[in-house]
PDB file of all heavy atoms in Angstrom:
ATOM      1  N   GLN B  70     145.234  50.784  64.171  1.00 85.00           N
ATOM      2  CA  GLN B  70     144.014  51.337  64.869  1.00 85.00           C
ATOM      3  C   GLN B  70     143.697  50.580  66.097  1.00 85.00           C
ATOM      4  O   GLN B  70     144.212  49.442  66.335  1.00 85.00           O
ATOM      5  CB  GLN B  70     142.858  51.437  63.878  1.00 85.00           C
ATOM      6  CG  GLN B  70     143.094  52.390  62.726  1.00 85.00           C
ATOM      7  CD  GLN B  70     141.807  52.549  61.907  1.00 85.00           C
ATOM      8  OE1 GLN B  70     140.693  52.309  62.372  1.00 85.00           O
ATOM      9  NE2 GLN B  70     141.966  52.975  60.699  1.00 85.00           N
ATOM     10  N   SER B  71     142.779  51.095  66.871  1.00 85.00           N
ATOM     11  CA  SER B  71     142.332  50.415  68.107  1.00 85.00           C
ATOM     12  C   SER B  71     141.478  49.245  67.792  1.00 85.00           C
ATOM     13  O   SER B  71     140.885  49.172  66.640  1.00 85.00           O
ATOM     14  CB  SER B  71     141.528  51.340  68.936  1.00 85.00           C
ATOM     15  OG  SER B  71     142.163  52.591  69.253  1.00 85.00           O
ATOM     16  N   LEU B  72     141.296  48.354  68.756  1.00 90.00           N
ATOM     17  CA  LEU B  72     140.304  47.305  68.649  1.00 90.00           C
ATOM     18  C   LEU B  72     138.966  48.004  68.716  1.00 90.00           C
ATOM     19  O   LEU B  72     138.679  48.853  69.520  1.00 90.00           O
ATOM     20  CB  LEU B  72     140.417  46.325  69.802  1.00 90.00           C
ATOM     21  CG  LEU B  72     141.476  45.229  69.633  1.00 90.00           C
ATOM     22  CD1 LEU B  72     142.911  45.754  69.867  1.00 90.00           C
ATOM     23  CD2 LEU B  72     141.184  44.116  70.665  1.00 90.00           C
ATOM     24  N   MET B  73     138.093  47.553  67.828  1.00 91.00           N
ATOM     25  CA  MET B  73     136.670  48.085  67.850  1.00 91.00           C
ATOM     26  C   MET B  73     135.738  46.908  68.120  1.00 91.00           C
ATOM     27  O   MET B  73     135.737  45.960  67.354  1.00 91.00           O
ATOM     28  CB  MET B  73     136.337  48.696  66.508  1.00 91.00           C
ATOM     29  CG  MET B  73     137.216  49.922  66.184  1.00 91.00           C
ATOM     30  SD  MET B  73     136.988  51.293  67.369  1.00 91.00           S
ATOM     31  CE  MET B  73     135.281  51.691  67.111  1.00 91.00           C
ATOM     32  N   LEU B  74     134.963  47.064  69.138  1.00 91.00           N
ATOM     33  CA  LEU B  74     133.961  46.033  69.462  1.00 91.00           C
ATOM     34  C   LEU B  74     132.898  45.907  68.373  1.00 91.00           C
ATOM     35  O   LEU B  74     132.338  46.934  67.995  1.00 91.00           O
ATOM     36  CB  LEU B  74     133.294  46.327  70.777  1.00 91.00           C
ATOM     37  CG  LEU B  74     132.291  45.340  71.338  1.00 91.00           C
ATOM     38  CD1 LEU B  74     132.986  43.986  71.664  1.00 91.00           C
ATOM     39  CD2 LEU B  74     131.585  45.845  72.548  1.00 91.00           C
ATOM     40  N   MET B  75     132.721  44.694  67.959  1.00 94.00           N
ATOM     41  CA  MET B  75     131.653  44.432  66.941  1.00 94.00           C
ATOM     42  C   MET B  75     130.363  43.944  67.592  1.00 94.00           C
ATOM     43  O   MET B  75     129.290  44.441  67.263  1.00 94.00           O
ATOM     44  CB  MET B  75     132.082  43.397  65.941  1.00 94.00           C
ATOM     45  CG  MET B  75     133.392  43.740  65.185  1.00 94.00           C
ATOM     46  SD  MET B  75     133.948  42.370  64.124  1.00 94.00           S
ATOM     47  CE  MET B  75     132.562  42.294  62.998  1.00 94.00           C
ATOM     48  N   ALA B  76     130.557  42.983  68.482  1.00 93.00           N
ATOM     49  CA  ALA B  76     129.338  42.388  69.118  1.00 93.00           C
ATOM     50  C   ALA B  76     129.715  41.636  70.379  1.00 93.00           C
ATOM     51  O   ALA B  76     130.856  41.224  70.585  1.00 93.00           O
ATOM     52  CB  ALA B  76     128.707  41.447  68.113  1.00 93.00           C
ATOM     53  N   THR B  77     128.754  41.503  71.246  1.00 90.00           N
ATOM     54  CA  THR B  77     128.792  40.762  72.462  1.00 90.00           C
ATOM     55  C   THR B  77     127.863  39.577  72.366  1.00 90.00           C
ATOM     56  O   THR B  77     126.687  39.741  72.033  1.00 90.00           O
ATOM     57  CB  THR B  77     128.436  41.633  73.664  1.00 90.00           C
ATOM     58  OG1 THR B  77     129.320  42.773  73.684  1.00 90.00           O
ATOM     59  CG2 THR B  77     128.571  40.842  74.958  1.00 90.00           C
ATOM     60  N   SER B  78     128.302  38.390  72.709  1.00 89.00           N
ATOM     61  CA  SER B  78     127.448  37.239  72.699  1.00 89.00           C
ATOM     62  C   SER B  78     127.433  36.506  73.987  1.00 89.00           C
ATOM     63  O   SER B  78     128.448  36.274  74.562  1.00 89.00           O
ATOM     64  CB  SER B  78     127.797  36.306  71.500  1.00 89.00           C
ATOM     65  OG  SER B  78     128.999  35.581  71.816  1.00 89.00           O
ATOM     66  N   ASN B  79     126.236  36.171  74.469  1.00 84.00           N
ATOM     67  CA  ASN B  79     126.063  35.372  75.629  1.00 84.00           C
ATOM     68  C   ASN B  79     125.612  34.010  75.235  1.00 84.00           C
ATOM     69  O   ASN B  79     124.756  33.902  74.329  1.00 84.00           O
ATOM     70  CB  ASN B  79     125.124  35.950  76.605  1.00 84.00           C
ATOM     71  CG  ASN B  79     125.640  37.296  77.158  1.00 84.00           C
ATOM     72  OD1 ASN B  79     126.637  37.318  77.823  1.00 84.00           O
ATOM     73  ND2 ASN B  79     124.933  38.396  76.902  1.00 84.00           N
ATOM     74  N   GLU B  80     126.135  32.965  75.879  1.00 81.00           N
ATOM     75  CA  GLU B  80     125.818  31.641  75.542  1.00 81.00           C
ATOM     76  C   GLU B  80     124.311  31.379  75.482  1.00 81.00           C
ATOM     77  O   GLU B  80     123.591  31.743  76.467  1.00 81.00           O
ATOM     78  CB  GLU B  80     126.468  30.671  76.500  1.00 81.00           C
ATOM     79  CG  GLU B  80     126.304  29.187  76.103  1.00 81.00           C
ATOM     80  CD  GLU B  80     125.148  28.565  76.835  1.00 81.00           C
ATOM     81  OE1 GLU B  80     124.664  29.085  77.835  1.00 81.00           O
ATOM     82  OE2 GLU B  80     124.656  27.511  76.366  1.00 81.00           O
ATOM     83  N   GLY B  81     123.836  30.886  74.388  1.00 80.00           N
ATOM     84  CA  GLY B  81     122.416  30.516  74.252  1.00 80.00           C
ATOM     85  C   GLY B  81     121.481  31.648  73.884  1.00 80.00           C
ATOM     86  O   GLY B  81     120.290  31.419  73.789  1.00 80.00           O
ATOM     87  N   SER B  82     122.016  32.823  73.641  1.00 82.00           N
ATOM     88  CA  SER B  82     121.145  33.874  73.252  1.00 82.00           C
ATOM     89  C   SER B  82     121.705  34.658  72.061  1.00 82.00           C
ATOM     90  O   SER B  82     122.853  34.450  71.687  1.00 82.00           O
ATOM     91  CB  SER B  82     120.911  34.886  74.411  1.00 82.00           C
ATOM     92  OG  SER B  82     122.132  35.424  74.847  1.00 82.00           O
ATOM     93  N   LYS B  83     120.931  35.527  71.457  1.00 86.00           N
ATOM     94  CA  LYS B  83     121.342  36.253  70.330  1.00 86.00           C
ATOM     95  C   LYS B  83     122.443  37.296  70.680  1.00 86.00           C
ATOM     96  O   LYS B  83     122.406  37.840  71.774  1.00 86.00           O
ATOM     97  CB  LYS B  83     120.205  36.965  69.648  1.00 86.00           C
ATOM     98  CG  LYS B  83     119.148  36.060  68.962  1.00 86.00           C
ATOM     99  CD  LYS B  83     118.086  36.833  68.292  1.00 86.00           C
ATOM    100  CE  LYS B  83     117.093  35.905  67.601  1.00 86.00           C
ATOM    101  NZ  LYS B  83     115.994  36.692  66.923  1.00 86.00           N
TER     102      LYS B  83
END
Side-chain angles (χ1 to χ4, degrees):
Chain B
Q70 293 188 23
S71 306
L72 278 73
M73 297 298 296
L74 180 66
M75 299 176 65
T77 303
S78 73
N79 293 299
E80 185 267 338
S82 61
K83 291 183 178 180

